[in-house]
Amino acid sequence: MSAGLFVFLVILVIFIIIILRSFRTIHEKEVMVIQRFGKYHTTLTPGFHFIVPFIDRPKKNFERYFEIDAHGNINLISRRSEIISTQSQVLDFPKTHCISLDNALLKIDAIVSYRTVNPKQMVYSVTNLPFLISKLLQAQMRNVAGSLEIDRMIEESSGLNIIGSLLDQEVSRWGVKIDFVKVQAVEPGTPEMARDLAMKKDAELKNKQVLIDAKAHKKEVSTRSEGVRDAMVRTAEGQVAEMVAQARGQAQSIVNQATAEAKAIGHLGRAMASGTDAEGADVAAYYLRTNTS
């Protein structure tokens, strides 16, 4: 093979490689920012595209930051890519040391989810976006933690939820959207503080138990008193009902006796008026027997 033919084949291979590299396939939820002569030209969306060799160049995006993996190890992530993802990405940064309103040292473990909504604005506004987000997150957590007491943050971390909206306001000018910031844990900064908080928590639990026992005893005494009172009321009501029943019985007996006497007198009168003297005497005697017996 002559030298000229070899050079021609080498040039042909290089030309084919350049042409093939000019065809770009962009996947779903990905974009590529293209520069022409060093200036922004266009943004390639998902699909098949062709860029002009030596004239059009992708704008590379650089990222370098620390992240915690699934095993709790801190790893340095470093990458440079021509592809910009528009998917939501979750970053788990190392714990941040903060000082609370009552001057207590604590550690806050949080994760942040973000996505790129304007790739052109993002790629020309910031370099190393995850690292910048981590620093802003630390600053916002320290600002918010400085306005709250450590007891409130440890017992209920919802007071730190405002960090997400504050961070979103900061990064929105870079074409980035913060989906959420989730505080996973708030821990005391030193073992001594953890021990003091545990003792304080134990004392609060004991005080609550004392209050609960006192309320239960008060309720028991009140219930017992109400039971005695109700029993006395029922006894009194029974006695009154019995007296009323006796009085009614006696009254009814008197009424019945008076009615019987009236009927007997009526019979006596009629007998005396219609019969003989002997018969009247017998009726009178019967009347006297029945009323004296």
Side-chain angles (χ1 to χ4, degrees):
M1 180 184 295
S2 63
L5 180 58
F6 177 76
V7 172
F8 173 76
L9 291 177
V10 170
I11 295 175
L12 180 61
V13 170
I14 294 175
F15 178 77
I16 292 174
I17 293 174
I18 293 174
I19 294 298
L20 292 177
R21 286 182 58 84
S22 299
F23 292 98
R24 298 299 175 97
T25 300
I26 310 300
H27 299 131
E28 191 67 32
K29 293 294 183 178
E30 293 180 349
V31 295
M32 179 183 292
V33 175
I34 301 299
Q35 297 184 122
R36 176 167 292 179
F37 299 114
K39 296 178 62 176
Y40 173 77
H41 174 60
T42 186
T43 300
L44 303 183
T45 56
F48 186 73
H49 302 272
F50 175 79
I51 60 176
V52 181
F54 305 108
I55 297 178
D56 296 337
R57 290 182 179 273
K59 173 69 174 176
K60 293 185 178 181
N61 184 39
F62 173 72
E63 296 179 350
R64 182 183 176 89
Y65 59 95
F66 290 97
E67 187 177 27
I68 299 178
D69 60 18
H71 302 288
N73 301 319
I74 299 178
N75 299 322
L76 175 62
I77 308 298
S78 181
R79 55 174 172 254
R80 185 185 297 270
S81 174
E82 299 173 347
I83 299 295
I84 300 174
S85 175
T86 57
Q87 284 183 317
S88 295
Q89 302 183 60
V90 177
L91 299 175
D92 189 359
F93 299 117
K95 297 178 181 178
T96 301
H97 290 78
C98 305
I99 298 178
S100 64
L101 181 62
D102 46 356
N103 294 324
L105 181 64
L106 66 151
K107 295 182 291 185
I108 301 178
D109 184 13
I111 59 174
V112 57
S113 173
Y114 75 96
R115 53 191 168 90
T116 302
V117 295
N118 191 331
K120 175 188 174 183
Q121 187 177 358
M122 186 277 292
V123 78
Y124 285 106
S125 299
V126 297
T127 301
N128 199 359
L129 178 63
F131 179 77
L132 184 58
I133 290 178
S134 70
K135 293 302 179 183
L136 288 175
L137 179 63
Q138 290 178 2
Q140 293 294 346
M141 284 195 296
R142 286 167 179 162
N143 288 337
V144 175
S147 62
L148 301 173
E149 295 183 353
I150 186 171
D151 292 344
R152 179 181 174 186
M153 284 185 285
I154 291 179
E155 293 177 358
E156 185 179 2
S157 60
S158 60
L160 300 172
N161 291 340
I162 192 176
I163 296 175
S165 60
L166 294 175
L167 187 61
D168 184 60
Q169 295 175 8
E170 292 289 338
V171 303
S172 60
R173 63 179 184 271
W174 302 328
V176 178
K177 172 68 177 177
I178 299 296
D179 293 325
F180 63 84
V181 173
K182 178 64 176 178
V183 176
Q184 300 185 104
V186 179
E187 303 172 356
T190 61
E192 293 78 10
M193 183 172 296
R195 184 175 60 254
D196 293 341
L197 289 174
M199 294 175 61
K200 182 178 179 181
K201 185 68 174 179
D202 184 63
E204 291 178 352
L205 291 176
K206 289 182 179 179
N207 291 335
K208 289 182 179 179
Q209 187 62 41
V210 170
L211 291 175
I212 293 173
D213 293 341
K215 290 181 179 179
H217 179 69
K218 179 181 178 181
K219 185 176 181 181
E220 181 181 358
V221 172
S222 177
T223 303
R224 189 183 303 115
S225 300
E226 291 178 355
V228 173
R229 182 196 63 188
D230 293 341
M232 294 176 64
V233 170
R234 287 192 296 270
T235 302
E237 290 177 348
Q239 292 176 352
V240 170
E242 183 179 358
M243 293 174 63
V244 170
Q246 291 177 356
R248 286 179 177 176
Q250 293 176 358
Q252 188 64 40
S253 177
I254 294 173
V255 170
N256 292 338
Q257 184 177 358
T259 302
E261 291 179 355
K263 289 181 179 181
I265 292 173
H267 288 304
L268 177 61
R270 287 192 295 271
M272 292 178 66
S274 60
T276 61
D277 292 339
E279 292 176 351
D282 292 337
V283 172
Y286 175 76
Y287 171 75
L288 290 175
R289 286 196 305 270
T290 56
N291 284 277
T292 57
S293 60

